[in-house]
Amino acid sequence: PEKSKIYVLDLEKPAKAIVHTFFCLKSLDILLLSEDFSIVDARKSLPPFRILIPKKEFRYVVEGVNLSENDLKIVKDTLSKH
């Protein structure tokens, strides 16, 4: 499988926002994390031109292809240092 680049968006405070994959050429794995880095919502291989409407607030959006448990650990460790 293709190794993922991980992109993280920090909203700076919890929000309830829509996440989309408009203009993406590949399906993306999406993780929405709370301020304490717990998973609020997750989607494996969200296809291009789709919308994700989460039910809860989140602070961080983590995107990538083929995200793994180890990728999530790296993200949590990195964000907790800031």
Coordinates of all heavy atoms in Angstrom, one line a residue:
P1 N 0.8 -1.2 0.0 CA 0.0 0.0 0.0 C 0.9 1.3 0.0 O 2.0 1.3 0.5 CB -0.8 -0.1 1.3 CG -0.5 -1.4 1.9 CD 0.6 -2.1 1.1
E2 N 0.3 2.3 -0.6 CA 1.0 3.6 -0.6 C 1.2 4.2 0.8 O 0.2 4.2 1.6 CB 0.2 4.5 -1.5 CG 0.7 5.9 -1.7 CD -0.2 6.8 -2.5 OE1 -1.1 6.3 -3.2 OE2 0.0 8.0 -2.4
K3 N 2.3 4.7 1.1 CA 2.6 5.3 2.4 C 2.0 6.7 2.3 O 2.1 7.5 1.4 CB 4.1 5.4 2.6 CG 4.4 6.0 4.0 CD 3.8 5.2 5.1 CE 4.1 5.9 6.4 NZ 3.1 5.5 7.4
S4 N 1.3 7.1 3.4 CA 0.6 8.3 3.5 C 1.4 9.5 3.9 O 2.3 9.3 4.8 CB -0.6 8.1 4.4 OG -1.3 9.3 4.5
K5 N 1.2 10.6 3.4 CA 1.6 11.9 4.0 C 0.4 12.3 4.9 O -0.7 12.1 4.5 CB 1.8 13.0 2.9 CG 3.0 12.7 2.0 CD 3.1 13.8 1.0 CE 4.3 13.6 0.1 NZ 4.5 14.6 -0.9
I6 N 0.8 12.8 6.0 CA -0.3 13.2 7.0 C -0.4 14.7 7.0 O 0.6 15.4 7.2 CB 0.1 12.6 8.4 CG1 0.3 11.1 8.4 CG2 -1.0 13.0 9.4 CD1 0.9 10.6 9.6
Y7 N -1.6 15.1 6.9 CA -1.9 16.6 7.0 C -2.8 16.8 8.2 O -3.7 16.1 8.4 CB -2.6 17.1 5.7 CG -1.7 16.9 4.5 CD1 -1.9 15.8 3.7 CD2 -0.8 17.9 4.1 CE1 -1.1 15.6 2.6 CE2 0.0 17.7 3.0 CZ -0.2 16.6 2.2 OH 0.6 16.4 1.1
V8 N -2.4 17.8 9.0 CA -3.1 18.1 10.2 C -3.6 19.6 10.2 O -2.7 20.5 9.9 CB -2.3 17.9 11.5 CG1 -3.1 18.2 12.7 CG2 -1.8 16.4 11.5
L9 N -4.8 19.8 10.4 CA -5.4 21.2 10.5 C -5.8 21.4 11.9 O -6.6 20.7 12.4 CB -6.6 21.4 9.5 CG -7.3 22.7 9.6 CD1 -6.4 23.8 9.2 CD2 -8.5 22.6 8.7
D10 N -5.3 22.5 12.5 CA -5.6 22.8 13.9 C -6.6 24.0 13.8 O -6.2 25.1 13.3 CB -4.4 23.2 14.7 CG -4.7 23.6 16.1 OD1 -5.9 23.7 16.5 OD2 -3.7 23.9 16.9
L11 N -7.8 23.8 14.2 CA -8.8 24.9 14.2 C -8.7 25.9 15.3 O -9.4 26.9 15.4 CB -10.2 24.3 14.3 CG -10.6 23.3 13.1 CD1 -12.0 22.7 13.3 CD2 -10.5 23.9 11.8
E12 N -7.7 25.6 16.2 CA -7.3 26.5 17.4 C -8.4 26.4 18.5 O -8.0 26.8 19.6 CB -7.0 27.9 16.9 CG -5.8 27.9 16.0 CD -5.4 29.3 15.6 OE1 -6.0 30.3 16.1 OE2 -4.5 29.5 14.8
K13 N -9.6 26.1 18.2 CA -10.6 25.9 19.3 C -11.6 24.9 18.7 O -11.8 24.8 17.5 CB -11.2 27.2 19.7 CG -12.0 27.9 18.6 CD -12.6 29.2 19.2 CE -13.4 29.8 18.1 NZ -14.1 31.1 18.5
P14 N -12.3 24.2 19.6 CA -13.3 23.2 19.1 C -14.4 23.9 18.2 O -14.8 25.0 18.5 CB -13.9 22.6 20.4 CG -12.9 22.9 21.4 CD -12.2 24.1 21.0
A15 N -14.8 23.2 17.2 CA -15.8 23.7 16.3 C -16.6 22.6 15.7 O -16.1 21.4 15.7 CB -15.2 24.6 15.2
K16 N -17.8 22.9 15.2 CA -18.6 21.9 14.5 C -18.6 22.4 13.1 O -19.3 23.4 12.7 CB -20.0 21.8 15.1 CG -20.7 20.6 14.7 CD -22.0 20.5 15.5 CE -22.7 19.2 15.1 NZ -24.0 19.1 15.8
A17 N -17.8 21.8 12.2 CA -17.6 22.2 10.9 C -17.8 21.1 9.9 O -17.7 19.9 10.3 CB -16.3 22.8 10.7
I18 N -18.1 21.4 8.7 CA -18.2 20.4 7.6 C -16.8 20.2 7.0 O -16.1 21.1 6.8 CB -19.2 20.8 6.5 CG1 -20.6 20.9 7.1 CG2 -19.2 19.9 5.3 CD1 -21.7 21.5 6.2
V19 N -16.5 18.9 6.8 CA -15.3 18.5 6.1 C -15.6 18.0 4.7 O -16.6 17.2 4.6 CB -14.5 17.5 7.0 CG1 -13.2 17.1 6.2 CG2 -14.2 18.1 8.3
H20 N -14.9 18.3 3.7 CA -15.2 17.8 2.4 C -14.0 17.4 1.6 O -12.9 17.7 2.0 CB -16.0 18.9 1.5 CG -15.1 20.1 1.2 ND1 -14.2 20.0 0.2 CD2 -15.0 21.3 1.7 CE1 -13.6 21.2 0.1 NE2 -14.1 22.0 1.0
T21 N -14.2 16.5 0.6 CA -13.1 16.1 -0.2 C -13.3 16.6 -1.6 O -12.9 16.0 -2.6 CB -13.1 14.5 -0.2 OG1 -14.3 14.0 -0.7 CG2 -12.7 14.0 1.1
F22 N -13.9 17.8 -1.8 CA -14.0 18.4 -3.1 C -12.6 18.7 -3.6 O -11.7 19.0 -2.9 CB -14.7 19.8 -3.0 CG -16.2 19.7 -2.5 CD1 -16.8 20.8 -2.0 CD2 -16.9 18.5 -2.5 CE1 -18.1 20.8 -1.5 CE2 -18.2 18.5 -2.0 CZ -18.8 19.6 -1.6
F23 N -12.5 18.4 -4.9 CA -11.2 18.7 -5.6 C -10.1 17.7 -5.3 O -9.0 17.9 -5.7 CB -10.8 20.1 -5.5 CG -11.9 21.1 -5.7 CD1 -12.4 21.8 -4.7 CD2 -12.5 21.2 -7.0 CE1 -13.5 22.7 -4.9 CE2 -13.5 22.1 -7.2 CZ -14.0 22.8 -6.1
C24 N -10.4 16.7 -4.5 CA -9.4 15.7 -4.2 C -9.5 14.6 -5.3 O -10.5 14.3 -5.8 CB -9.7 15.0 -2.8 SG -9.5 16.1 -1.4
L25 N -8.3 14.1 -5.6 CA -8.3 13.1 -6.7 C -8.3 11.7 -6.2 O -8.5 10.7 -6.9 CB -7.0 13.3 -7.6 CG -7.0 14.7 -8.2 CD1 -5.7 14.8 -9.0 CD2 -8.2 15.0 -9.1
K26 N -8.1 11.5 -4.9 CA -8.0 10.2 -4.3 C -9.0 10.2 -3.0 O -9.3 11.3 -2.5 CB -6.6 9.9 -3.8 CG -5.6 9.7 -4.8 CD -4.3 9.3 -4.2 CE -3.3 9.0 -5.2 NZ -2.0 8.5 -4.6
S27 N -9.4 9.0 -2.6 CA -10.1 8.9 -1.4 C -9.1 9.2 -0.2 O -7.9 8.9 -0.3 CB -10.6 7.5 -1.2 OG -11.6 7.2 -2.2
L28 N -9.6 9.8 0.8 CA -8.8 10.1 2.0 C -9.4 9.5 3.2 O -10.6 9.4 3.4 CB -8.9 11.7 2.2 CG -8.2 12.5 1.1 CD1 -8.4 14.0 1.5 CD2 -6.7 12.2 1.0
D29 N -8.4 9.1 4.1 CA -8.8 8.8 5.5 C -8.9 10.1 6.3 O -8.0 10.9 6.2 CB -7.8 7.9 6.1 CG -7.6 6.5 5.4 OD1 -8.6 6.2 4.6 OD2 -6.6 5.9 5.5
I30 N -10.0 10.2 7.0 CA -10.2 11.5 7.8 C -10.4 11.1 9.2 O -11.2 10.2 9.6 CB -11.5 12.2 7.3 CG1 -11.4 12.4 5.8 CG2 -11.7 13.5 8.1 CD1 -10.6 13.6 5.3
L31 N -9.6 11.8 10.1 CA -9.8 11.6 11.6 C -10.1 13.0 12.1 O -9.4 14.0 11.8 CB -8.6 11.1 12.2 CG -8.1 9.7 11.9 CD1 -6.8 9.4 12.5 CD2 -9.2 8.7 12.3
L32 N -11.2 13.1 12.9 CA -11.5 14.3 13.6 C -11.2 14.1 15.1 O -11.7 13.2 15.7 CB -13.0 14.7 13.4 CG -13.4 14.8 11.9 CD1 -14.9 15.2 11.8 CD2 -12.6 15.8 11.2
L33 N -10.4 15.0 15.6 CA -9.9 14.8 17.0 C -10.4 15.9 17.9 O -10.4 17.1 17.5 CB -8.4 14.7 17.1 CG -7.7 13.7 16.2 CD1 -6.2 13.8 16.3 CD2 -8.1 12.3 16.5
S34 N -10.7 15.6 19.1 CA -11.0 16.6 20.1 C -9.8 17.3 20.7 O -8.6 16.9 20.3 CB -11.8 16.0 21.3 OG -11.0 15.1 22.0
E35 N -9.9 18.2 21.6 CA -8.8 18.9 22.2 C -7.9 17.9 22.9 O -6.7 18.2 23.0 CB -9.2 20.0 23.1 CG -9.7 21.2 22.4 CD -9.9 22.4 23.3 OE1 -10.8 22.3 24.2 OE2 -9.1 23.4 23.1
D36 N -8.4 16.9 23.5 CA -7.6 15.9 24.2 C -7.2 14.7 23.3 O -6.7 13.7 23.8 CB -8.3 15.4 25.5 CG -9.6 14.5 25.1 OD1 -9.9 14.4 23.9 OD2 -10.2 14.0 26.1
F37 N -7.3 14.9 22.0 CA -6.8 14.0 21.0 C -7.6 12.7 20.9 O -7.2 11.7 20.2 CB -5.3 13.7 21.1 CG -4.5 14.9 21.3 CD1 -3.8 15.1 22.5 CD2 -4.4 15.9 20.3 CE1 -3.1 16.3 22.7 CE2 -3.7 17.0 20.5 CZ -3.0 17.2 21.6
S38 N -8.8 12.7 21.5 CA -9.6 11.5 21.3 C -10.4 11.6 19.9 O -10.6 12.7 19.4 CB -10.6 11.3 22.4 OG -11.5 12.4 22.5
I39 N -10.7 10.5 19.3 CA -11.3 10.5 18.0 C -12.8 10.8 18.2 O -13.5 10.1 18.9 CB -11.1 9.1 17.3 CG1 -9.6 8.9 17.1 CG2 -11.9 9.1 16.0 CD1 -9.3 7.5 16.5
V40 N -13.2 11.9 17.5 CA -14.6 12.3 17.5 C -15.4 11.6 16.3 O -16.5 11.2 16.5 CB -14.7 13.8 17.4 CG1 -16.1 14.3 17.1 CG2 -14.1 14.5 18.6
D41 N -14.7 11.5 15.2 CA -15.3 10.9 14.0 C -14.1 10.4 13.1 O -13.0 10.9 13.2 CB -16.1 11.9 13.2 CG -17.2 11.2 12.4 OD1 -17.0 10.0 12.1 OD2 -18.2 11.8 12.0
A42 N -14.4 9.3 12.4 CA -13.3 8.8 11.5 C -14.0 8.2 10.3 O -15.1 7.6 10.3 CB -12.6 7.7 12.2
R43 N -13.4 8.4 9.1 CA -13.8 7.9 7.9 C -12.6 7.3 7.1 O -11.6 7.9 6.9 CB -14.5 8.9 7.0 CG -15.8 9.5 7.5 CD -16.9 8.4 7.5 NE -18.1 8.9 7.7 CZ -18.6 9.2 8.9 NH1 -17.9 9.0 10.0 NH2 -19.8 9.7 9.1
K44 N -12.8 6.0 6.8 CA -11.7 5.3 6.0 C -12.1 5.5 4.5 O -13.2 5.2 4.1 CB -11.7 3.9 6.4 CG -10.6 3.1 5.8 CD -9.3 3.3 6.5 CE -8.2 2.4 6.0 NZ -6.9 2.9 6.3
S45 N -11.2 6.0 3.7 CA -11.3 6.1 2.3 C -12.6 6.9 1.8 O -13.4 6.4 1.1 CB -11.4 4.7 1.6 OG -10.1 4.0 1.8
L46 N -12.7 8.1 2.4 CA -13.8 9.0 2.0 C -13.6 9.4 0.5 O -12.5 10.0 0.2 CB -13.9 10.2 2.9 CG -15.1 11.1 2.7 CD1 -16.4 10.4 3.1 CD2 -15.0 12.4 3.5
P47 N -14.5 9.0 -0.4 CA -14.2 9.3 -1.8 C -14.2 10.8 -2.2 O -14.7 11.6 -1.4 CB -15.4 8.6 -2.5 CG -16.0 7.7 -1.5 CD -15.7 8.3 -0.2
P48 N -13.6 11.1 -3.3 CA -13.6 12.5 -3.7 C -15.0 13.1 -3.9 O -16.0 12.3 -4.2 CB -12.9 12.5 -5.1 CG -12.1 11.2 -5.1 CD -12.9 10.3 -4.2
F49 N -15.1 14.4 -3.7 CA -16.4 15.1 -3.8 C -17.5 14.7 -2.9 O -18.6 14.6 -3.2 CB -16.8 15.1 -5.3 CG -15.9 15.8 -6.2 CD1 -14.9 15.0 -6.9 CD2 -15.8 17.1 -6.3 CE1 -14.0 15.6 -7.7 CE2 -14.9 17.7 -7.2 CZ -14.0 17.0 -7.9
R50 N -17.1 14.3 -1.7 CA -18.0 13.9 -0.6 C -18.0 14.9 0.5 O -17.0 15.6 0.7 CB -17.7 12.5 -0.1 CG -17.9 11.5 -1.2 CD -19.3 11.3 -1.7 NE -19.4 10.6 -2.9 CZ -19.4 9.3 -3.1 NH1 -19.3 8.5 -2.1 NH2 -19.5 8.8 -4.3
I51 N -19.0 14.9 1.4 CA -19.1 15.8 2.5 C -19.2 14.9 3.8 O -19.9 13.9 3.8 CB -20.3 16.7 2.4 CG1 -20.1 17.7 1.2 CG2 -20.5 17.5 3.7 CD1 -21.4 18.5 1.0
L52 N -18.5 15.3 4.8 CA -18.6 14.7 6.1 C -19.2 15.7 7.1 O -18.6 16.8 7.2 CB -17.2 14.2 6.6 CG -17.0 13.8 8.0 CD1 -17.9 12.6 8.3 CD2 -15.6 13.4 8.3
I53 N -20.3 15.4 7.7 CA -21.0 16.3 8.6 C -20.9 15.6 10.0 O -21.7 14.8 10.3 CB -22.4 16.6 8.2 CG1 -22.5 17.1 6.8 CG2 -23.1 17.5 9.2 CD1 -23.9 17.3 6.2
P54 N -19.9 16.0 10.8 CA -19.8 15.4 12.1 C -20.9 15.8 13.1 O -21.4 16.9 12.9 CB -18.4 15.9 12.6 CG -18.1 17.0 11.8 CD -18.9 17.0 10.5
K55 N -21.2 15.0 14.0 CA -22.2 15.3 15.0 C -21.7 16.1 16.2 O -22.4 16.7 17.0 CB -22.9 14.0 15.5 CG -23.7 13.4 14.3 CD -24.5 12.2 14.8 CE -25.4 11.7 13.8 NZ -25.1 10.6 13.1
K56 N -20.4 16.0 16.4 CA -19.7 16.6 17.6 C -18.7 17.6 17.2 O -18.2 17.5 16.1 CB -19.1 15.5 18.5 CG -20.1 14.5 19.1 CD -19.3 13.6 19.9 CE -20.3 12.5 20.5 NZ -19.5 11.6 21.4
E57 N -18.3 18.5 18.1 CA -17.3 19.4 17.8 C -15.9 18.7 17.8 O -15.7 17.7 18.5 CB -17.2 20.5 18.9 CG -18.4 21.5 18.9 CD -18.3 22.6 19.9 OE1 -17.5 22.5 20.9 OE2 -18.9 23.6 19.6
F58 N -15.0 19.3 17.1 CA -13.6 18.8 17.0 C -12.7 19.9 16.9 O -13.0 21.0 16.5 CB -13.5 17.8 15.8 CG -13.8 18.4 14.5 CD1 -12.9 19.0 13.7 CD2 -15.1 18.4 14.1 CE1 -13.2 19.5 12.5 CE2 -15.5 18.9 12.8 CZ -14.5 19.5 12.0
R59 N -11.4 19.7 17.2 CA -10.4 20.7 17.0 C -9.4 20.4 15.9 O -8.9 21.3 15.2 CB -9.6 20.9 18.3 CG -8.5 21.9 18.2 CD -7.9 22.3 19.4 NE -6.7 23.2 19.1 CZ -5.9 23.7 20.0 NH1 -6.2 23.5 21.3 NH2 -4.9 24.4 19.7
Y60 N -9.1 19.1 15.7 CA -8.0 18.8 14.7 C -8.7 17.9 13.6 O -9.5 17.0 13.9 CB -6.9 18.0 15.4 CG -6.2 18.7 16.5 CD1 -6.6 18.4 17.8 CD2 -5.3 19.7 16.3 CE1 -5.9 19.1 18.9 CE2 -4.6 20.3 17.3 CZ -5.0 20.0 18.6 OH -4.4 20.7 19.6
V61 N -8.2 18.2 12.4 CA -8.6 17.4 11.2 C -7.3 16.7 10.8 O -6.3 17.4 10.5 CB -9.2 18.2 10.1 CG1 -9.5 17.3 8.9 CG2 -10.4 19.0 10.5
V62 N -7.3 15.4 10.7 CA -6.1 14.6 10.3 C -6.5 13.9 9.0 O -7.5 13.2 8.9 CB -5.7 13.6 11.3 CG1 -4.4 12.8 10.8 CG2 -5.4 14.2 12.6
E63 N -5.7 14.2 7.9 CA -6.1 13.6 6.6 C -4.8 12.8 6.1 O -3.7 13.2 6.3 CB -6.4 14.7 5.6 CG -7.5 15.6 5.9 CD -7.7 16.7 4.9 OE1 -6.8 16.9 4.0 OE2 -8.8 17.3 4.9
G64 N -5.1 11.8 5.3 CA -4.1 11.0 4.7 C -4.6 9.9 3.9 O -5.9 9.7 3.9
V65 N -3.8 9.1 3.3 CA -4.1 7.9 2.6 C -3.5 6.7 3.4 O -2.3 6.7 3.7 CB -3.6 7.9 1.2 CG1 -4.0 6.6 0.4 CG2 -4.2 9.1 0.4
N66 N -4.3 5.7 3.7 CA -3.9 4.5 4.4 C -3.3 4.9 5.8 O -2.2 4.4 6.2 CB -2.8 3.8 3.6 CG -3.3 3.2 2.3 OD1 -4.4 2.8 2.2 ND2 -2.5 3.3 1.2
L67 N -4.0 5.7 6.5 CA -3.6 6.1 7.9 C -3.6 4.8 8.7 O -4.4 4.0 8.6 CB -4.5 7.1 8.5 CG -4.4 8.5 7.9 CD1 -5.4 9.5 8.5 CD2 -3.0 9.1 8.0
S68 N -2.6 4.8 9.6 CA -2.4 3.6 10.5 C -2.5 4.1 12.0 O -2.5 5.3 12.3 CB -1.1 2.9 10.3 OG 0.0 3.8 10.7
E69 N -2.6 3.1 12.9 CA -2.6 3.4 14.3 C -1.3 4.2 14.7 O -1.3 5.1 15.5 CB -2.7 2.1 15.1 CG -4.1 1.5 15.1 CD -5.1 2.3 15.9 OE1 -4.8 2.9 16.9 OE2 -6.3 2.3 15.5
N70 N -0.2 3.8 14.0 CA 1.1 4.4 14.3 C 1.1 5.9 13.9 O 1.6 6.8 14.5 CB 2.2 3.7 13.6 CG 3.6 4.2 14.1 OD1 3.8 4.2 15.3 ND2 4.4 4.5 13.2
D71 N 0.4 6.2 12.7 CA 0.3 7.5 12.3 C -0.5 8.4 13.3 O -0.1 9.5 13.6 CB -0.4 7.6 10.9 CG 0.3 7.0 9.8 OD1 1.6 7.0 9.8 OD2 -0.3 6.5 8.8
L72 N -1.5 7.8 13.8 CA -2.3 8.5 14.8 C -1.5 8.8 16.1 O -1.5 9.9 16.7 CB -3.6 7.8 15.2 CG -4.5 8.4 16.2 CD1 -4.9 9.8 15.8 CD2 -5.7 7.5 16.5
K73 N -0.7 7.8 16.5 CA 0.2 8.0 17.6 C 1.2 9.2 17.4 O 1.4 10.0 18.2 CB 1.0 6.7 18.0 CG 1.8 6.8 19.2 CD 2.5 5.5 19.4 CE 3.4 5.5 20.6 NZ 4.2 6.7 20.9
I74 N 1.8 9.2 16.2 CA 2.7 10.2 15.8 C 2.1 11.6 15.9 O 2.6 12.6 16.4 CB 3.3 10.0 14.4 CG1 4.3 8.8 14.5 CG2 4.1 11.2 13.9 CD1 4.7 8.2 13.1
V75 N 0.9 11.7 15.4 CA 0.1 13.0 15.4 C -0.1 13.4 16.8 O 0.1 14.6 17.2 CB -1.2 12.9 14.6 CG1 -2.1 14.1 14.8 CG2 -0.9 12.7 13.1
K76 N -0.6 12.5 17.6 CA -0.9 12.8 19.0 C 0.3 13.3 19.8 O 0.3 14.3 20.5 CB -1.6 11.6 19.7 CG -3.0 11.4 19.3 CD -3.5 10.2 20.1 CE -5.0 9.9 19.8 NZ -5.5 8.7 20.5
D77 N 1.4 12.5 19.6 CA 2.7 12.9 20.3 C 3.2 14.3 19.8 O 3.6 15.1 20.6 CB 3.7 11.8 20.0 CG 3.5 10.5 20.7 OD1 2.6 10.5 21.6 OD2 4.1 9.5 20.3
T78 N 3.1 14.6 18.5 CA 3.6 15.8 18.0 C 2.7 17.0 18.5 O 3.2 18.0 18.9 CB 3.5 15.8 16.4 OG1 4.4 14.7 16.0 CG2 4.1 17.1 15.9
L79 N 1.4 16.8 18.4 CA 0.5 17.9 18.9 C 0.5 18.2 20.3 O 0.4 19.3 20.8 CB -1.0 17.6 18.5 CG -1.3 17.6 17.0 CD1 -2.7 17.1 16.7 CD2 -1.1 19.0 16.4
S80 N 0.7 17.1 21.1 CA 0.8 17.3 22.6 C 2.0 18.1 23.1 O 2.0 18.6 24.2 CB 0.7 16.0 23.3 OG 1.8 15.2 23.0
K81 N 3.0 18.2 22.2 CA 4.2 18.9 22.5 C 4.1 20.4 22.3 O 4.9 21.2 22.7 CB 5.4 18.4 21.7 CG 5.8 17.0 22.1 CD 6.9 16.5 21.2 CE 7.2 15.1 21.6 NZ 8.2 14.5 20.7
H82 N 3.0 20.9 21.7 CA 2.8 22.3 21.4 C 1.9 23.0 22.4 O 1.1 22.5 23.1 CB 2.2 22.5 20.0 CG 3.2 22.2 18.9 ND1 3.0 21.1 18.1 CD2 4.3 22.7 18.5 CE1 4.0 21.0 17.3 NE2 4.8 22.0 17.5

